[in-house]
Amino acid sequence: MSAAMLEVERLTAWYGAAQILFEPSFHIGRGEVVALMGRNGAGKSTTLKALMALIPQRSGTVRFLGEDISHLKPFEIARRGLGFVPEDRRIFSDLTVLENLDVGRQPLRHHPDGRPAPSWVPEKLFTIFPNLGEMPDRRGAQMSGGEQQMLTVARTLMGNPLLVLLDEPSEGVAPVIVEQMANTIVELKKEGLSVLLSEQNIHFAQLVCDRAYVLEKGQLQWHGRMADLANDVTVQRRLLSV
Amino acid sequence: MSLEAILFQALNGLAAASSLFFVGAGLSLIFGVTRIINIAHGSFYMLGLYLAATFATKLVGGLGFWGGILAAALVVAALGALVELLLLRRIYQAPELFQLLATFALVLIFNDMAQYVWGPEDLLGPRAPGLRGSVEILGRNFPSYDLFLIAIGPLVLLLLHLMLAKTRFGRLIRAATQDREMVGALGVNQAMLFTVVFALGAFLAGFGGALQVAREPANLGLDLVVISDAFVVVVVGGMGSITGAFLAAVIIAEVKALCIGIGLVHFGAVAVNFSKLTLVAEFLVMAIVLIARPYGLLGRPQGAVRNPAEIDDPIRPATWPLKAASAALLIGLLLLPLADKASPYALVLGIDVLIAILFATSLHFIMGPGGMHSFGHAAYFGLGAYGAALMVKFLAVATPVALIAAPLAALMGALLFGWFAVRLSGVYLAMLTLAFAQIVWSILFQWEEVTGGSNGILGIWPQPPFDTRPAFYLLTLALVVAGVLLLRCFLFAPFGYAIRAGRDSALRAESIGINVKRVHWIAFAIAGAFAGIAGGAFAFAKGTISPDVAWVSRSIDAMVMVLLGGIQTLAGPSVGAAVFTVLQDNVMRQTTFWRGLLGAVILLLVLVFPGGIVGALSKRMAARRKPA
Amino acid sequence: MSVLRVLHLSKAFGGVHAVENVSFEVGEGEFLALIGPNGAGKSTCFNMINGQLAPDAGDIEFAGRSIAGWKPRDIWRLGVGRTFQVAATFGSMTVAENVQMALKMALVSHHGEIFRFGAAFAARHRERAVELLAQVGMADAAERACKELAYGDVKRVELAIALANEPRLLLMDEPTAGMAPRERNDLIGLVKRLVIERRISVLFTEHSMDVVFAHADRIIVLARGVMIAEGDAKVIRDNPQVQQVYLGTGRTFTPHVEGRV
């Protein structure tokens, strides 16, 4: 494992008077795919949103490529190379596929050591998501849920991110789409991308992740190798209600 | 009226449509991206016109006129950017109502600013060099400048359309219109996008105003006239649709032009002056469109705004300390007439406060539990006041009879307007209710034979035994206490629960058998009727009423009272009304620029307590629990 | 004997066929799953059955009456309960009040009853409401504000609401979405118990295949608005077309194992 890209220390987040996150600390190395697991309401989505500064009330340190980004605005964080794929897809339904991709477009980025980050153009994305290539001018509103799920990932990749935060891509979509998503993540990993995946479905996480962190009630309760979690039925029962 | 005359009048309408379109398009663009209904958009138009008149006069020559128009629009755009940077940026997270209030505060401030700079007199600009003459069309002289206006409307529509469809900036605007947070998370500097869009919208409004420099004089009443026209345009065209705004602007301008063209018509013995019916005609167009297409001609249903709306706590009956405190307060109020000798003004202010309490509580009834943010509640206050006053003037009825007529008149109006209003929600509802109130106002203002026009109705005094100040005070107290308690009682009854059920989840309410629209319609009517009682009492308290009773600022006053006290509490409106009335009485009347001062106070309220006083308190408590 | 008959139902949005010529029946006491890819027309079907959308063509018969094009509130009165994908409850009321509201509406013969301005609401149908809440395991939370509940609990409250009018048919749109596996099994177990006790028929959509294969009596598969398969768990699991458009290889969900907790 190479040096950590993202280091998070004692993250907290609040919705109004309710504290959701209680100081979990974690890190993600270059080229790693890491799962953030936990039951519904454990704070997985909140963690990703807090990293993107999409939650106003938060504290803790977030270092990305060595830089403290905890005081930056969402767009500044995105421009540092942190991509965010929201759980409810949130594609722009009035815009076509190509227009959606264009909104996500950002300049090419480099790793701190000068190596270029994986870069994306629509043509290259269409090889990973052939469905999208067949409907470049279709408006988002007329796409199926699975196609939208693909588009939301592709749109984030247009920003040429170094690390992608992927929020529950398996939730509420057909099993066949979940499978495609797993293939996509493996594909992205090969390109050298790091991924933080928030997930409840352990079968899915098992297919793609190297390591896992498990949250319960906003606190970090377990971390280790994905394979160990997959074999540890006790932990699964206790923390994931399997 | 000949066919030629009608066609000619239609051309006139097209000339007026362009400016209307610019204002509507700007309003629509700004709303799309920032989700703020900019009530100050009419003020931008007005300022554009004033500035153009000044620039075109001060700068000489052809370049001066056209340059002046452009300069005026640019200055307004800069002002818009400033407003966005200094004010709106701080309140994007605040509840929608506070945003509306803030932009209304700007209306007040800009209006007093204009009065300070240009004075209260109308300001006439120069004619356009090169387009002073006229062309003969259909045997009549048609001003060349108006032809120019007819041409520029579609041209700007085309430019806007190309910008939105073909440029990255346009794509970002359209994307932000759907989900601004997501656009930011994709690396777009959303703050800058907002500022630019706001400036562009302001530019369009300023440009629309400036172009009218050769057609109409600038005056201080334009801001609210234009904003209600623009609201109608946007509602008819469909929020967020630029082409829709153009279509609607043409339709509205044509209807108005034809009404003016038709003029006085005799239907048998009845003479109807159509030129006075322009606002009513607009309303009819809007009503027809909204029945057929609730989201306007080219609009689409607005997705829910991603603002985690704060949900009220369950309502609970008053605890006994609260009941005891209320009883003590009531006894205190009953004893107030004893102070009449020592300080006669106490009762006058007392009556004002009581009326405000009932008015605010009735608004809260639909705004809080109903979630219907009416920006035109003064319409029903005004209908009540005129209902009572007209009974006295024409039928010389006894005071109690007039006070029964007041809520009935308001009830009729609320039933009619409410039927349309409950079909909409959110900002559509806010704009529609405001437009309705403007119509009521214009009827009161223009129907001189009955309402006395701008002079209003004089000499409405209570008859014995209510003709002394203490007696009338006690009557008002009885009405207000009964009204407030009754409204409260409704909220604890099945009906009140049904109102809240419809607000919390219309989906669930409908699927357990509640006819949400009907329940909200009845609630709207009830709130109107109680506002009518307040209006009736107001007429007798003042002795004189004018169309001002239904003017926008009274609607806004009520809203400020509710928000000041706390929209999520049942006692809030009463407290807010009392505080606001006393404050207004003491401070506002000390200066000629009281409007601007009121605006500043509202802004302060919005900026210091962006979530309302209650919200600010709970936030502070949350912060205290949070580790440093 | 069937409770619900859907006959040649079609609906298009702006030229796109969301549902095309779909026919099926729900038998009495049957636990019927409607599955398919996102956008296959499942929710559109639901919305037509419960009255939120009017069908373009075809008919819906409930208990022998044609209800196509009826309003949701009228269909509810006939005895069709519904839960939504995102639970729809009254956040500003207590849990008990939520159910009382539904009971109130269930026990009145016509809408006029809601227009009562005097009598306090708080005490009405309170006992029945708590009884219903006890059945979904939420009696202890009766006095809490609905907005404070965890999402899984809100779903239980919604179920109690949907049961308030003694429905003969319950429509459940992704009832276990966002739940952990054990919560899923608990909730579905609860529904099945109620189904048997009250002899209700259930039509539900679901993306969680372990739930579907373990519990559904029969499964219908929609794809692009068209019904492509129908049958029990084994038939559906082995259908190559269903595998291709929906199930995939099955790597991402657990096939049900008998005796699992």
Side-chain angles (χ1 to χ4, degrees), chain A residues 79 90 93-94 99 102, chain B residues 168 171 178-179 181 300:
Chain A
R79 286 185 185 181
R90 294 168 74 166
S93 55
D94 270 353
E99 287 177 330
D102 184 62
Chain B
R168 176 163 160 96
R171 280 192 281 277
Q178 291 191 284
D179 192 339
E181 189 186 65
R300 256 172 288 169

Side-chain angles (χ1 to χ4, degrees), chain A residues 14 16-17 52 54 57 74-75 78-79 84 86 88 90 92-95 99 102-103 105-106 139 155-156, chain B residues 165 168 171-172 174-176 178-179 181-190 300 306 618 622 625-627:
Chain A
W14 304 68
M52 284 308 288
L54 293 173
Q57 287 173 274
F75 84 93
R79 286 185 185 181
F84 173 59
D88 37 1
R90 294 168 74 166
F92 307 116
S93 55
D94 270 353
L95 275 60
E99 287 177 330
D102 184 62
V103 172
R105 196 183 71 208
Q106 291 287 325
R139 288 197 316 126
R155 183 180 64 182
T156 297
Chain B
R168 176 163 160 96
R171 280 192 281 277
L172 293 183
R174 281 157 58 214
Q178 291 191 284
D179 192 339
E181 189 186 65
M182 196 60 228
V183 170
L186 288 169
V188 175
N189 187 344
Q190 184 195 4
R300 256 172 288 169
R306 283 180 186 281
S618 67
R625 260 176 279 157
K626 194 164 153 183

Side-chain angles (χ1 to χ4, degrees), chain B residues 276-293:
Chain B
K276 287 191 169 183
L277 290 180
T278 48
L279 263 176
V280 180
E282 258 180 82
F283 157 66
L284 279 178
V285 171
M286 181 163 69
I288 293 165
V289 168
L290 286 180
I291 292 171
R293 298 186 63 93

Side-chain angles (χ1 to χ4, degrees), chain C residues 147-170:
Chain C
K147 64 174 174 179
E148 296 168 358
L149 298 183
Y151 187 65
D153 289 345
V154 176
K155 290 218 140 190
R156 285 168 183 268
V157 175
E158 198 195 25
L159 180 61
I161 294 174
L163 291 172
N165 69 332
E166 310 270 335
R168 292 188 58 193
L169 173 68
L170 200 54

Side-chain angles (χ1 to χ4, degrees), chain B residues 310-317 365 369 486 488-523 526 568, chain C residues 50 52 71-74 76-77 80 82-84 86 88-94 97-98 101-102 104-106 111-122 124 143-148 158 161-162:
Chain B
E310 288 122 38
I311 302 168
D312 293 6
D313 290 323
I315 57 171
R316 310 262 186 220
F365 189 69
L486 212 53
R488 193 183 158 87
C489 172
F490 289 171
L491 287 181
F492 283 94
F495 180 70
Y497 274 80
I499 296 176
R500 291 195 296 138
R503 173 201 60 185
D504 283 1
S505 171
L507 192 63
R508 172 51 67 202
E510 282 285 341
S511 46
I512 61 163
I514 298 173
N515 186 337
V516 173
K517 283 200 180 90
R518 188 183 307 178
V519 167
H520 279 182
W521 181 40
I522 303 289
I526 289 173
Q568 297 190 320
Chain C
N50 125 289
Q52 278 181 287
K71 289 202 161 52
R73 51 177 184 267
D74 297 321
W76 188 77
R77 282 196 191 96
V80 179
R82 165 146 195 202
T83 67
F84 295 91
V86 176
T89 56
F90 307 126
S92 80
M93 297 183 196
T94 66
E97 284 168 352
N98 265 276
M101 196 78 223
K104 162 111 199 100
M105 295 309 297
H111 344 165
E113 185 72 5
I114 201 65
F115 295 101
R116 293 189 60 157
F117 301 91
F121 176 85
R124 295 184 158 240
E143 284 313 309
R144 290 181 61 192
C146 202
K147 64 174 174 179
E148 296 168 358
E158 198 195 25
I161 294 174

Side-chain angles (χ1 to χ4, degrees), chain B residues 498-565:
Chain B
I499 296 176
R500 291 195 296 138
R503 173 201 60 185
D504 283 1
S505 171
L507 192 63
R508 172 51 67 202
E510 282 285 341
S511 46
I512 61 163
I514 298 173
N515 186 337
V516 173
K517 283 200 180 90
R518 188 183 307 178
V519 167
H520 279 182
W521 181 40
I522 303 289
F524 195 95
I526 289 173
F530 280 87
I533 298 176
F538 179 84
F540 283 111
K542 301 294 168 194
T544 304
I545 53 166
S546 69
D548 277 0
V549 289
W551 186 238
V552 196
S553 49
R554 189 173 304 274
S555 298
I556 304 291
D557 284 355
M559 190 155 268
V560 174
M561 292 173 199
V562 171
L563 294 177
L564 186 65

